[in-house]
Amino acid sequence: GKEIKGLMHGTRHVYGAVLRGAFSFAVFPKKLISFNPMQYVVNRNANDDYELFTETRTEQATVTKTISENQYLQLMEILATKNNPATLPIQSAYYTGLRLGEACSLTWQDIDFDEQYITVRRSICYSNTLKKTILGPTKRKKIRTVYFGSTLLQILKDAKAQQLINEHQYCSLYLKNYYKVVQDKNRSYHEVYSFPVAEKITEQYTEIDFVCLRLDGTYEAPRTVNNMCISARKQIEGMDDFHFHTLRHTYTSRLLANGVAPKDVQELLGHSDINTTLNIYAHASNESKKKSAMLLD
């Protein structure tokens, strides 16, 4: 008696890819069947009703959310009142477009203050399977370079200076962060831990100098930052569906709107396909569409 909704386009695409690969393997080298039946499968969508005469603007559903500079400043004010440790990851993403796991896994060794660029090497997340916080590769498993301006440069310098002050104030209660390589069958994991500076650490742990820290020196976890975004958006008008990834969309939209070459934006963001970069901007802002149209005047 239940009505089952159709699969999303992305899900159908994944299923199709798996089936095509499986049947192709059955054709060769296994030679179990003579041809791949998936070559005759056509991905069809349900016919959409199209109304020739309507006043409803249906295209609004495709808009990719971004935030304005004013909304960003309001967000910073909210965080500043509580000295929230999620501030630095959010600032980093706003000025560089980093993903949440990438921002939280940055180390000071990844940042070149002279040339003003970040080397994005890794990502951090909580594994529900392992019940541990682990370090891993970026989403595309590629290392990329992201340049930044003077605003973020000063933010990072101030953050590093403040961390030295915090370490001095907390003394023996201050925590340092480490990773441990764990072998599990054919895979290895880099598990993350925090220990007081006074504690003697064995050789199996390697110290890692994270950029985004809490006041006591503990690394700032992505889940904590995400929860803060959900909490803060309730206090700012027009940010009801704001989440951390919105900062990445905002960064993309701002660059493209100011004339940065799409290929450069793609490389800064680490997108595998330039269409992904352009699609974010294509639906990002109706205001930018208005300005583009006005150029003809």
Side-chain angles (χ1 to χ4, degrees):
K2 294 183 179 179
E3 180 180 348
I4 305 298
K5 294 184 178 180
L7 297 175
M8 298 293 290
H9 173 74
T11 305
R12 296 200 306 272
H13 179 76
V14 172
Y15 287 174
V18 172
L19 290 171
R20 281 192 297 273
F23 282 119
S24 178
F25 184 70
V27 174
F28 184 83
K30 291 299 184 180
K31 299 181 180 179
L32 298 174
I33 54 179
S34 59
F35 69 96
N36 188 340
M38 287 300 293
Q39 63 183 311
Y40 301 111
V41 175
V42 178
N43 185 22
R44 293 178 178 171
N45 297 316
N47 293 328
D48 297 327
D49 293 332
Y50 185 85
E51 180 61 56
L52 289 177
F53 301 98
T54 178
E55 297 180 359
T56 304
R57 295 175 60 187
T58 57
E59 67 178 74
Q60 292 297 321
T62 63
V63 172
T64 300
K65 293 294 183 180
T66 61
I67 61 172
S68 66
E69 182 179 7
N70 184 51
Q71 288 173 321
Y72 169 74
L73 294 175
Q74 290 182 60
L75 179 60
M76 288 298 101
E77 288 180 7
I78 293 173
L79 296 175
T81 57
K82 299 181 179 180
N83 199 18
N84 198 300
T87 303
L88 190 54
I90 289 176
Q91 290 172 321
S92 300
Y94 184 75
Y95 289 108
T96 63
L98 296 183
R99 299 180 178 93
L100 177 54
E102 295 171 346
C104 291
S105 67
L106 282 179
T107 68
W108 290 113
Q109 291 73 28
D110 297 327
I111 301 174
D112 189 313
F113 286 95
D114 295 327
E115 299 297 327
Q116 293 184 212
Y117 68 81
I118 294 171
T119 303
V120 184
R121 304 176 184 275
R122 70 192 74 80
S123 183
I124 188 173
C125 69
Y126 181 80
S127 171
N128 290 317
T129 302
L130 300 173
K131 305 300 180 185
K132 300 281 186 180
T133 299
I134 60 173
L135 291 169
T138 60
K139 185 176 181 180
R140 299 301 174 192
K141 297 184 178 180
K142 291 184 178 180
I143 298 174
R144 71 182 190 276
T145 300
V146 181
Y147 289 87
F148 56 86
S150 300
T151 303
L152 183 58
L153 175 64
Q154 190 59 51
I155 289 172
L156 292 171
K157 286 183 176 181
D158 292 343
K160 193 168 186 179
Q162 184 60 51
Q163 288 174 12
L164 292 175
I165 295 173
N166 294 341
E167 183 176 358
H168 178 72
Q169 289 179 341
Y170 276 81
C171 298
S172 60
L173 297 178
Y174 197 76
L175 284 85
K176 293 283 189 178
N177 300 292
Y178 302 82
Y179 70 84
K180 180 177 71 170
V181 181
V182 179
Q183 297 290 340
D184 181 17
K185 298 181 180 179
N186 296 326
R187 300 184 63 183
S188 62
Y189 304 96
H190 294 70
E191 298 178 351
V192 182
Y193 297 89
S194 298
F195 300 111
V197 293
E199 187 171 335
K200 188 175 181 179
I201 307 301
T202 61
E203 293 183 355
Q204 62 179 321
Y205 294 96
T206 303
E207 186 175 345
I208 183 167
D209 198 9
F210 285 121
V211 170
C212 300
L213 301 177
R214 305 181 72 82
L215 291 177
D216 63 353
T218 310
Y219 64 91
E220 180 67 349
R223 180 180 295 182
T224 307
V225 179
N226 192 51
N227 289 339
M228 196 291 312
C229 290
I230 295 174
S231 175
R233 70 188 184 189
K234 300 174 183 177
Q235 306 176 51
I236 303 174
E237 185 177 355
M239 288 180 60
D240 296 338
D241 52 359
F242 168 76
H243 48 83
F244 190 90
H245 207 73
T246 307
L247 300 167
R248 185 169 166 85
H249 290 166
T250 302
Y251 174 79
T252 309
S253 179
R254 290 170 65 208
L255 289 183
L256 290 171
N258 284 280
V260 179
K263 189 64 179 177
D264 290 340
V265 180
Q266 177 195 357
E267 292 178 359
L268 288 169
L269 292 166
H271 285 156
S272 60
D273 184 358
I274 196 169
N275 288 325
T276 304
T277 309
L278 294 175
N279 285 339
I280 291 175
Y281 178 62
H283 302 299
S285 171
N286 283 326
E287 190 62 32
S288 65
K289 296 176 188 177
K290 289 180 183 178
K291 291 181 179 178
S292 298
M294 298 304 175
L295 292 174
L296 296 177
D297 288 338

